[in-house]
Amino acid sequence: MQYAYLITRTDDDTDEDRRVMSRGTQTLADDQDPREFATARLEQNCVEHSYYTGPRRIAYWPHQNDRPIPRTAPANAQHLDG
């Protein structure tokens, strides 16, 4: 199944339009837990953006390939803080 993700900074001192750190899609295996995917992606983002040590959140949700990824998570998204 295809999932989209959106990783954002959650500190209050950042303008809304500058909070997005990463977004994309990934196809998960049938037996892959979406929460495990989100945890791994959030950890990878911490390594890739190690200059930023503040709080961040990943939102993830089932996604259709033909749709663009929004700059804000849809209402049905799951969230994980890191």
Side-chain angles (χ1 to χ4, degrees):
M1 175 174 270
Q2 186 79 13
Y3 270 79
Y5 65 89
L6 178 67
I7 300 175
T8 56
R9 299 167 62 138
T10 59
D11 52 353
D12 291 335
D13 62 343
T14 303
D15 293 335
E16 188 70 31
D17 62 336
R18 296 181 37 102
R19 290 189 182 195
V20 174
M21 297 182 76
S22 180
R23 62 185 180 155
T25 62
Q26 185 165 333
T27 301
L28 305 186
D30 291 337
D31 62 345
Q32 189 174 3
D33 179 7
R35 186 172 174 87
E36 289 177 7
F37 151 73
T39 299
R41 187 65 195 101
L42 192 58
E43 289 172 357
Q44 182 179 355
N45 184 267
C46 288
V47 171
E48 292 171 347
H49 298 277
S50 60
Y51 60 87
Y52 174 69
T53 58
R56 62 190 89 205
R57 171 178 288 159
I58 184 169
Y60 58 100
W61 62 94
H63 182 71
Q64 294 177 341
N65 257 347
D66 60 341
R67 297 190 174 234
I69 301 168
R71 289 193 58 84
T72 58
N76 68 328
Q78 301 289 324
H79 295 92
L80 184 64
D81 291 333

